Amino acid sequence: MTGIRQRIGRIAPGGWEPFVVRRPVSWWPEVLLTAAFALCTVLATFHSPLIDLDIWIRDFSDAHRPPWFDWFLVQTNKLGQGGFLSGLALGIAALIGYFKQTIRPVVAFFGAYMLTALVLVLKLAFPRIYPHWPRPEPGPYADAAQSLLYYPDRSELGDLGDTAVGAYPSGHVVNTLIWYGLLIMLTGAVLKTWQRRLLLTAPVAIVFFSTTYLGFHWLTDSLAGLFMGLVLIRLMQRVHWATVPLPLWLEPERRYRRP
């Protein structure tokens, strides 16, 4: 326990401060990423070359995915499971908060959790069926017309129609960016530079590839998730979690601080 206390003590000498290498200043990256998301969304509403690429990648992957590789990709795709990642982040945030005697790491966790909820809103706003719908294995699966956003005829999906239209954007990709980004904000001070870079880039690249190659999502779903996830993690980095005003009931010790 002493060793854990010492390592956590290094996270923020003199108080808890999330680790951010360079806090975002310019809003241009968010503007460009949002524009890229919008362009990707527009190109997914009609039979564009990007839709043809979606279909080709889905069919090529299905034809060139041996069982052992399929199993391997399924395991690596778990790096983007929101339930596990959020539980891990909450546990670390609570541990830091306990040793630092502050609720702020947990507040940062719930801030990230609320941002991930935006993905559900986007899925409702841009309904799209998954690559291996509407027919069960071994297909035939969705063609170019059926793969478009707002595809109107979902009667052939049957009772599973409501669960077949949440492909856009990829929640796994967004989850990976947000939760690993938060983990770095919580523990970055005790990690080396190469470890932080690996933790931020490797899981995203692996999940992006596996979720697309397995046909869990279209390529455009993964791209949209990447663009939106980068926007959200930059928003997380902009917030001054160590000093953001909180209700008094969250920080009762403020009653006894001298002005």
Side-chain angles (χ1 to χ4, degrees):
M1 183 64 72
T2 302
I4 295 177
R5 185 187 297 273
Q6 291 175 345
R7 288 180 65 85
I8 290 180
R10 292 169 51 198
I11 290 177
W16 182 76
E17 178 77 29
F19 182 86
V20 179
V21 175
R22 184 179 301 169
R23 194 175 297 278
V25 177
S26 173
W27 284 91
W28 274 111
E30 283 91 336
V31 172
L32 294 176
L33 287 167
T34 302
F37 174 83
L39 177 61
C40 190
T41 303
V42 170
L43 292 176
T45 60
F46 65 95
H47 193 161
S48 65
L50 196 56
I51 294 298
D52 289 332
L53 183 60
D54 274 341
I55 299 294
W56 182 86
I57 289 178
R58 190 270 315 272
D59 294 344
F60 177 86
S61 300
D62 287 348
H64 299 83
R65 192 173 58 247
W68 68 267
F69 193 39
D70 185 281
W71 178 88
F72 176 75
L73 291 178
V74 169
Q75 306 312 310
T76 60
N77 191 252
K78 294 177 181 179
L79 289 171
Q81 285 187 338
F84 170 76
L85 292 175
S86 61
L88 177 63
L90 177 58
I92 294 176
L95 190 63
I96 295 174
Y98 171 77
F99 283 113
K100 290 293 183 179
Q101 293 297 295
T102 175
I103 195 66
R104 290 182 178 274
V106 178
V107 172
F109 163 82
F110 281 106
Y113 197 89
M114 291 177 63
L115 289 180
T116 61
L118 291 177
V119 180
L120 299 178
V121 177
L122 293 174
K123 287 178 178 290
L124 292 174
F126 305 109
R128 189 185 195 187
I129 63 174
Y130 290 91
H132 288 152
W133 289 92
R135 301 175 182 85
E137 294 188 19
Y141 300 122
D143 56 26
Q146 294 168 327
S147 69
L148 302 180
L149 294 179
Y150 306 113
Y151 173 61
D153 184 11
R154 300 188 191 127
S155 58
E156 56 193 284
L157 301 180
D159 295 336
L160 297 177
D162 292 338
T163 64
V165 293
Y168 190 90
S170 169
H172 261 56
V173 175
V174 176
N175 285 338
T176 306
L177 276 162
I178 290 181
W179 291 121
Y180 283 98
L182 177 63
L183 287 174
I184 291 175
M185 292 174 65
L186 292 171
T187 66
V190 300
L191 300 176
K192 297 180 179 179
T193 301
W194 71 267
Q195 292 172 328
R196 293 194 297 267
R197 291 175 178 173
L198 183 66
L199 190 62
L200 185 61
T201 58
V204 175
I206 292 171
V207 170
F208 185 102
F209 177 79
S210 62
T211 199
T212 305
Y213 207 85
L214 287 168
F216 291 169
H217 283 280
W218 304 99
L219 173 64
T220 43
D221 301 339
S222 298
L223 287 173
L226 180 65
F227 299 145
M228 188 51 55
L230 288 171
V231 170
L232 296 180
I233 193 59
R234 284 180 63 86
L235 292 179
M236 279 287 296
Q237 293 173 343
R238 286 182 178 276
V239 178
H240 294 266
W241 296 103
T243 58
V244 64
L246 296 178
L248 191 61
W249 60 271
L250 283 177
E251 291 188 306
E253 68 274 12
R254 286 167 50 197
R255 298 175 187 268
Y256 310 106
R257 292 177 186 170
R258 292 183 179 181

